[in-house]
Amino acid sequence: MAFPRPKPTTMETLAMERANPPFNIRKMSIAMHGSEKALILKEKFMAEIARHPAFKLSDIHDLSKDELRERTMEKFASMVYFVTNESLETFQLRMQLIGIADPSFWTRFGVAYGLFLGALRSGATPNQLSYWIDRGVLGLNGVIGCFAMTELAHGSNVAGLETTATFDRGSDEFVIHTPHLGATKWWIGGAASTATHAAVFAQMIVDGKRHGVKTFVTQLRDTKTFTLMPGVTIGDIGKKMGRDGIDNGYIQFTYVRVPRAHMLMKHTQVSRDGVVTEPPLAQLTYGALLGGRTSMVTDSSNSAKKALTVAVRYAAVRRQFATGKNELETQLLDYPIHQRRLMPLVAQAIAIGFTGLRLQVMYEDMTQALDTMEPSDPNLNDILDKLKETHATSAGLKAFCTWACLDTIDKCRQSCGGHGYSAYSNFPLMYADFAVQCTWEGDNTILSLQAGRSLVGAWGAAVRGKKLAPGVAYLNDSSLLSAKSDSSLSLSDIQRAWNCVAFNVIKKAAEEYVRLLKSGKTKDEAMEKCSQSRFIAAKIHTIGYIFRLFREAVEEMKDDEESRTLKTVAKLYGLWQIEEQQGYFLKYGYLDAQQMDKVQESVDALCQEVRGVAIPLIDSFALSDHIINSPLGRWDGSVYESYFAQVQAANPLPKEHPYFTRLIKPLLERQNEDMEDPGSAMGLDDELKEIEEERKGE
């Protein structure tokens, strides 16, 4: 008698997926992390935070807002130790990992160190910076900072902020004031409960003249008693969509006085006599924005990889329906449509990861150049052109990478079926926590338009014969306008496709802008009128830019199994995005309908090819079970056992039902009142019978 073949366990299934990978997972992981040192540090950090009680994550879905905030603060002490004892490079890598594990804490700590300290580093003179460091900014022993920029009625438009800082020459002080409700500082992380000082962005007024928005260090609370300083009103803005570990608050100032020396004066100076000296190079202030945008590109990749680790492992072990003559139900990952759901997203997350690595190098080089640059520097114009280009490119990358990540998290959730809707899958919290990335440090649509504006300017410079910075250098090659595919769909053909279409959509936006100018519109009016064309230009340029940086990184690698696999992944990313944006490639004639069909067939085949190495690829993301915090994505594949155990542990049944006596029992035991039957009262049945007999008699 033949017995049916036993169904492999989920753990056995995942082990089979890992058997005999075509590449070395360790080498692949090193490539994705930029260096072996970075990977080793990440593994060290994962082990350290996994054993730290304050970084317990398994119960985070069941904590209240107040409990989350308290736990966030519990983590501060350990991080203060590391920030004061590690190199900046090492600490940034540590925080990068913590950003994946606990975005709320990453943000709250980042407010103190990334934004408040960042404002000091970018805006203070050397002596001012030393002053604040001496007063405990680094160790949080004396100063816990927050970043008071956004207001109730103003966010992205920093130039339009309405809090005022009026110079009082008699006392050598600035008077910080909230003139009306709309100027209330709003969304200020750390303000509600924990900050002692704020970097306040306010309109500087000297002798009745406005000089634009400057930054003023303003004390909010007494550091001994924690009571509010005179003239400072603070409140809690309450429940948010996500990141409840952050105590976001509002601040109102009623004629709060701060010493003139508390204005950060690296760029603009105000003397004791009220003489204002503006910076010779206003563009230098761009540099302060690049660091945040660079980190958000990297975070987009890391957060997408976290979601994909869960979704792809789950798809490998989850079996649903038997197909053909198979005795076993089919793994979700073997269905072509499921491969289509996830494999392009894997390619996209990897592409954004390599873009983040290269962007970080560009940012460091740019920072070094800006720090050493003098107005008399012979390379001044080249450096400023590159700064403008990097600033605009980073705006587009921040927008489209964060959008891509948020979309990835939700698609991963949907791909896990009903279990993905459970809080314990970690998708709901991932989505809620990441969603704000599309809004802060510049609303994505606004940043896209900034990038589009810069591209319109670059096209104009190219028309005038100027040699452009590397990121937009393809605009110097006018032959791209009418380029056609060679049908090879090779990496170089894909790159030429993106260059061609980006050139065309940028040209359309620029010509629309020029036409509007000629019709009598002002520059600002013309820019607004061609917003949609600028947005499309930014989108196509940015996707092509990501592909280019990914392709360059892969082609610079040694020719081995790892690089060959990554070339396949790069090809999948480039072609999938062409398919997603196919209207533009058909519109501008780079591909015809038949070639576009070939693109679809190639994407199908590449999804199947990448599916074959999906689990080893996911493993190379190097994320521990503690970091992903989802039973559906367990490394060993014990999905159902881990899920059931976590649900049981988090939801014990109470000994006594909490509301049976008050609500359920009265419902069950209620007495139905005797109700008169309206039909009987009317004699309706007899009446209907008579009507029926009369009808028959007719």
Side-chain angles (χ1 to χ4, degrees):
M1 178 179 176
F3 290 96
R5 185 158 57 94
K7 177 181 176 180
T9 67
T10 54
M11 297 171 75
E12 290 168 339
T13 300
L14 208 51
M16 288 187 285
E17 289 282 343
R18 289 195 176 97
N20 304 313
F23 56 82
N24 183 298
I25 295 175
R26 185 71 181 176
K27 286 176 66 179
M28 179 68 83
S29 195
I30 290 169
M32 287 195 192
H33 289 79
S35 69
E36 186 171 18
K37 177 186 176 183
L39 177 58
I40 290 171
L41 280 172
K42 178 181 177 180
E43 291 167 336
K44 171 179 176 286
F45 301 152
M46 286 194 293
E48 288 171 358
I49 70 168
R51 63 175 178 247
H52 196 300
F55 281 95
K56 180 182 179 183
L57 298 175
S58 58
D59 65 345
I60 204 164
H61 309 294
D62 296 289
L63 298 180
S64 68
K65 180 182 74 174
D66 291 338
E67 288 170 330
L68 281 169
R69 289 184 177 182
E70 191 169 343
R71 185 170 293 182
T72 295
M73 207 61 206
E74 286 174 1
K75 299 166 186 165
F76 261 73
S78 62
M79 288 301 106
V80 167
Y81 170 80
F82 292 120
V83 80
T84 53
N85 287 277
E86 290 181 339
S87 70
L88 182 61
E89 178 190 10
T90 299
F91 184 73
Q92 284 175 336
L93 288 172
R94 181 184 292 277
M95 287 305 294
Q96 193 179 103
L97 174 72
I98 286 171
I100 315 170
D102 186 352
S104 280
F105 173 68
W106 175 82
T107 303
R108 179 61 197 91
F109 200 74
V111 165
Y113 281 97
L115 295 180
F116 182 77
L117 180 58
L120 291 175
R121 290 181 63 199
S122 64
T125 66
N127 284 355
Q128 285 182 316
L129 182 59
S130 296
Y131 172 90
W132 288 110
I133 288 175
D134 288 344
R135 272 146 187 79
V137 167
L138 282 179
L140 302 183
N141 50 335
V143 177
I144 300 175
C146 66
F147 191 74
M149 184 176 76
T150 54
E151 296 176 355
L152 186 58
H154 276 93
S156 299
N157 181 16
V158 177
L161 296 176
E162 295 177 287
T163 300
T164 58
T166 306
F167 183 55
D168 181 349
R169 188 181 283 101
S171 62
D172 197 27
E173 294 172 322
F174 279 99
V175 181
I176 312 295
H177 185 60
T178 304
H180 56 79
L181 183 67
T184 302
K185 293 297 180 183
W186 199 265
W187 282 112
I188 312 305
S193 306
T194 54
T196 63
H197 291 69
V200 178
F201 286 67
Q203 295 282 353
M204 185 176 76
I205 303 171
V206 179
D207 294 334
K209 181 182 177 182
R210 289 178 176 254
H211 292 268
V213 174
K214 314 300 177 190
T215 311
F216 303 82
V217 179
T218 307
Q219 188 165 352
L220 304 177
R221 292 178 169 94
D222 186 293
T223 56
K224 303 296 183 187
T225 65
F226 225 57
T227 55
L228 295 177
M229 299 298 288
V232 175
T233 303
I234 286 180
D236 192 322
I237 68 166
K239 183 78 174 172
K240 307 180 292 289
M241 180 176 176
R243 303 199 186 216
D244 276 332
I246 313 166
D247 55 316
N248 292 90
Y250 63 81
I251 313 172
Q252 293 173 329
F253 302 99
T254 305
Y255 303 110
V256 175
R257 291 179 170 270
V258 301
R260 176 176 55 90
H262 281 202
M263 173 189 162
L264 303 183
M265 297 197 195
K266 181 178 183 179
H267 302 298
T268 299
Q269 297 82 41
V270 178
S271 73
R272 177 70 181 81
D273 298 325
V275 176
V276 179
T277 306
E278 297 286 3
L281 296 170
Q283 299 98 323
L284 294 180
T285 57
Y286 289 165
L289 298 170
L290 299 180
R293 292 174 182 175
T294 300
S295 70
M296 291 171 83
V297 171
T298 300
D299 191 49
S300 295
S301 172
N302 290 336
S303 297
K305 287 174 179 176
K306 179 178 177 178
L308 286 160
T309 297
V310 178
V312 174
R313 284 179 181 165
Y314 180 77
V317 302
R318 176 76 172 191
R319 294 178 182 272
Q320 202 81 11
F321 308 113
T323 54
K325 298 180 180 180
N326 295 328
E327 294 178 17
L328 293 174
E329 288 186 280
T330 304
Q331 294 165 263
L332 291 184
L333 208 48
D334 283 337
Y335 286 105
I337 198 64
H338 211 79
Q339 294 168 12
R340 272 287 194 153
R341 293 176 88 172
L342 293 177
M343 295 305 101
L345 300 180
V346 171
Q348 179 175 252
I350 294 171
I352 293 174
F354 276 97
T355 300
L357 288 173
R358 295 175 86 81
L359 198 63
Q360 184 63 38
V361 173
M362 290 167 57
Y363 167 65
E364 290 167 359
D365 291 345
M366 181 64 65
T367 301
Q368 188 174 6
L370 291 175
D371 286 344
T372 58
M373 188 175 70
E374 298 291 339
S376 59
D377 193 317
N379 299 316
L380 176 64
N381 290 331
D382 289 341
I383 293 172
L384 290 180
D385 283 346
K386 191 172 182 181
L387 173 59
K388 290 176 184 176
E389 190 262 323
T390 307
H391 176 258
T393 298
S394 70
L397 285 170
K398 183 271 181 186
F400 292 103
C401 290
T402 54
W403 267 328
C405 177
L406 192 64
D407 180 61
T408 294
I409 294 170
D410 194 53
K411 283 179 176 172
C412 285
R413 177 192 67 78
Q414 293 184 47
S415 78
C416 291
H419 294 328
Y421 194 65
S422 167
Y424 303 109
S425 73
N426 209 14
F427 289 124
L429 186 60
M430 271 190 258
Y431 189 90
D433 279 346
F434 193 85
V436 71
Q437 298 271 42
C438 300
T439 303
W440 63 16
E441 294 213 26
D443 169 80
N444 279 0
T445 299
I446 301 301
L447 289 182
S448 303
L449 293 179
Q450 286 181 10
R453 177 189 288 264
S454 176
L455 292 169
V456 167
W459 179 83
V463 168
R464 294 191 300 273
K466 183 176 179 180
K467 185 179 179 182
L468 301 180
V472 286
Y474 62 87
L475 293 175
N476 287 128
D477 181 5
S478 58
S479 68
L480 285 169
L481 279 172
S482 56
K484 307 289 181 187
S485 173
D486 60 14
S487 295
S488 67
L489 301 186
S490 62
L491 288 175
S492 58
D493 186 29
I494 296 169
Q495 184 67 72
R496 190 165 173 78
W498 283 104
N499 289 349
C500 165
V501 174
F503 198 134
N504 275 282
V505 293
I506 292 168
K507 177 174 179 285
K508 178 183 181 298
E511 289 180 341
E512 188 176 333
Y513 170 68
V514 171
R515 190 165 60 251
L516 287 161
L517 282 180
K518 289 180 178 178
S519 72
K521 302 291 183 188
T522 66
K523 288 183 178 181
D524 286 342
E525 288 172 339
M527 276 293 176
E528 291 308 315
K529 284 285 186 180
C530 66
S531 291
Q532 180 62 13
S533 295
R534 281 195 289 145
F535 181 88
I536 292 167
K539 176 171 66 174
I540 298 299
H541 167 79
T542 301
I543 297 171
Y545 188 87
I546 292 169
F547 175 77
R548 178 170 72 81
L549 292 194
F550 184 23
R551 175 197 171 207
E552 287 175 356
V554 171
E555 290 183 340
E556 288 170 11
M557 292 171 64
K558 177 184 174 184
D559 184 27
D560 52 21
E561 289 297 336
E562 292 75 44
S563 68
R564 285 192 282 276
T565 299
L566 286 173
K567 283 176 183 174
T568 299
V569 172
K571 191 172 182 181
L572 172 57
Y573 173 71
L575 289 176
W576 168 65
Q577 286 284 22
I578 286 175
E579 187 182 44
E580 290 288 293
Q581 309 296 334
Q582 60 183 278
Y584 302 109
F585 292 84
L586 291 168
K587 177 180 179 180
Y588 294 110
Y590 191 85
L591 297 164
D592 59 28
Q594 190 174 3
Q595 289 169 323
M596 193 56 73
D597 286 341
K598 186 180 176 183
V599 168
Q600 181 184 326
E601 292 167 9
S602 296
V603 173
D604 288 342
L606 288 165
C607 282
Q608 186 173 11
E609 188 176 346
V610 174
R611 180 266 172 269
V613 295
I615 294 302
L617 261 183
I618 289 295
D619 288 349
S620 69
F621 294 168
L623 294 169
S624 66
D625 285 346
H626 177 255
I627 296 297
I628 66 169
N629 191 29
S630 173
L632 304 187
R634 292 269 303 187
W635 187 89
D636 64 4
S638 60
V639 168
Y640 305 123
E641 298 87 349
S642 301
Y643 183 21
F644 188 79
Q646 186 170 355
V647 168
Q648 268 197 320
N651 301 276
L653 291 176
K655 292 181 180 179
E656 189 174 315
H657 198 288
Y659 49 87
F660 169 72
T661 303
R662 187 171 70 87
L663 297 175
I664 299 177
K665 186 177 180 180
L667 189 67
L668 291 172
E669 295 181 353
R670 74 190 186 284
Q671 297 297 317
N672 293 325
E673 297 178 6
D674 291 332
M675 295 180 64
E676 182 181 55
D677 179 3
S680 298
M682 294 176 190
L684 183 63
D685 289 341
D686 292 338
E687 186 179 25
L688 293 177
K689 192 173 182 181
E690 289 176 10
I691 293 171
E692 182 64 22
E693 288 173 353
E694 288 174 3
R695 187 179 293 119
K696 288 178 179 177
E698 292 174 358

